Amino acid sequence: MIDLRSDTVTRPTEAMRAAMVRADVGDDVYGEDPTVRALEERVADLFGHEAALFTPTGSMANVLAVAAVVEPGQEVLCESRAHIVRAELGAHAAVSGLTMRTWISERGQVDMAMIRRLFAPDLGPFFVPTAAISVENSHNFAGGAVLPLADLLDLREFATEVGTAVHIDGARIWNAHIATGTPLREYGAIADVLAVCLSKGLGAPVGSLVVGSADAIAASRVRRKRLGGGMRQTGILAAAGLYALDHHLERLAEDHEHARLLAEACGADPATVETNIVVVDRPDAAQVVEKARAEGVLVSTVGATALRLVTHLDVSRDDVERAAAVLARC
Ligand SMILES: *Cc1c(COP(=O)(O)O)cnc(C)c1O
């Protein structure tokens, strides 16, 4: 089976497993795991922030990152198909007691006109105060679309001017970085808090990080423990993340090229494919999924009329060419 359902399906390589086996470990709840600390320091530095915190999942990283800047009873603004509002089972409401309002952008983009209209930090005693603006880069359900740096700079300027926080859901910020050449530090400078994943394109089996100020991360460490996310000899997992940063970052360019090949095979415009995700509109999406499966290619749907194909470390050029032929037939 060629599995194009998600970039989360990768299995750790032999070399990654070897790095995990060798990892120096300690009890991370006591702050004594040297490998976790090394990963946290490295990722904080990559984004030009003071500190970072390892979490088991990207969802937990987002919950902690948003809660670091938005209090219970406040709101965060985000795009209507953002992962934080669509795909985290309401965790920010259920766990953190905050609400969200959304703008709609086909490509998941920053829309400053809408953000200015929605933004309401202090409308009096009936209204939920806006405490943060969240953006997703690359944007998963908008087909891996990248947010242009110029738009992010406008957002930063606005946020600074009005004194609100910016959260970036950077689960796939690595892909945005490789696709555009924008330094990670420039993305880091846009945000007060970021969440980044190691278990998507980078191919680690587990792990995400919250990135931000020393204070935000200290508060996140407490909340992580409260959620049951205080882990012990996590260096085993952090070692996979360090290995992925060393060996799996630059190669994301291949995934992006593979995604364009698949888009072409599906009759989609490859120019709309900016990273490793292809979304194709098909009224019969569910049937295409079944036909492709019968021919050994797994794809998924996002909504009733859209197919999603995701390229990753475990699909080779050969696999992509075979999948392209199958998808062209389907
Ligand atoms: C995958 C993903 C996450 C985190 O998901 P987990 O499955 O909880 O690790 C967060 N944001 C985006 C945009 C994602 O694609």
Side-chain angles (χ1 to χ4, degrees):
M1 283 287 183
I2 299 170
D3 196 342
L4 301 173
R5 290 171 303 165
S6 174
D7 48 10
T8 56
V9 300
T10 56
R11 294 184 174 87
T13 60
E14 283 308 316
M16 181 181 277
R17 288 171 196 250
M20 295 170 78
V21 167
R22 282 195 306 270
D24 239 343
V25 297
D27 188 331
D28 183 56
V29 172
Y30 294 147
E32 290 173 2
D33 190 302
T35 310
V36 173
R37 286 166 83 159
L39 174 67
E40 290 174 342
E41 282 165 23
R42 177 160 172 195
V43 172
D45 184 61
L46 282 176
F47 290 95
H49 278 265
E50 287 173 346
L53 180 75
F54 186 77
T55 62
T57 64
S59 296
M60 191 191 282
N62 273 334
V63 166
L64 296 176
V66 172
V69 292
V70 183
E71 290 172 18
Q74 298 182 328
E75 70 178 5
V76 55
L77 307 180
C78 61
E79 201 281 319
S80 63
R81 286 169 303 159
H83 198 277
I84 62 166
V85 67
R86 291 288 295 135
E88 293 172 10
L89 296 167
H92 301 261
V95 175
S96 305
L98 56 91
T99 58
M100 298 183 180
R101 278 187 303 143
T102 57
W103 70 91
I104 294 179
S105 161
E106 268 318 302
R107 300 282 298 159
Q109 297 293 301
V110 175
D111 181 337
M112 280 316 303
M114 282 306 303
I115 290 169
R116 283 174 192 277
R117 280 172 65 182
L118 292 169
F119 183 70
D122 184 15
L123 274 186
F126 306 122
F127 294 97
V128 182
T130 310
I133 301 161
S134 174
V135 292
E136 189 173 307
N137 193 23
S138 64
H139 196 298
N140 183 348
F141 298 136
V146 170
L147 309 184
L149 185 62
D151 292 353
L152 293 170
L153 288 167
D154 286 347
L155 173 64
R156 179 67 262 171
E157 191 182 0
F158 173 75
T160 303
E161 181 188 306
V162 301
T164 201
V166 174
H167 163 255
I168 295 183
D169 180 350
R172 294 189 182 80
I173 203 155
W174 321 105
N175 297 85
H177 159 63
I178 293 297
T180 62
T182 304
L184 293 172
R185 275 183 175 240
E186 291 194 29
Y187 286 140
I190 304 298
D192 295 277
V193 283
L194 299 93
V196 302
C197 286
L198 304 166
S199 58
K200 304 282 171 77
L202 290 183
V206 178
S208 288
L209 294 104
V210 188
V211 184
S213 67
D215 284 350
I217 296 308
S220 296
R221 193 175 291 280
V222 172
R223 287 198 187 92
R224 184 187 66 174
K225 187 76 176 81
R226 185 173 293 135
L227 293 178
M231 299 171 285
R232 305 296 180 174
Q233 286 71 26
T234 330
I236 296 272
L237 302 174
L242 287 166
Y243 181 90
L245 289 171
D246 286 335
H247 300 280
H248 295 168
L249 185 55
E250 299 302 324
R251 66 155 301 287
L252 291 174
E254 287 170 38
D255 294 345
H256 300 171
E257 193 191 327
H258 291 167
R260 287 191 292 270
L261 289 176
L262 290 172
E264 242 170 301
C266 295
D269 177 2
T272 63
V273 177
E274 296 177 79
T275 57
N276 68 327
I277 301 177
V278 185
V279 173
V280 188
D281 280 323
R282 286 285 302 216
D284 57 344
Q287 282 154 274
V288 177
V289 169
E290 283 319 309
K291 278 193 209 161
R293 176 192 290 274
E295 296 203 44
V297 177
L298 299 177
V299 301
S300 63
T301 55
V302 275
T305 62
L307 289 171
R308 190 180 78 154
L309 327 174
V310 187
T311 55
H312 53 77
L313 187 61
D314 286 3
V315 283
S316 65
R317 179 65 173 233
D318 251 20
D319 292 336
V320 166
E321 285 171 5
R322 279 194 294 142
V326 168
L327 290 165
R329 276 201 296 280
C330 297

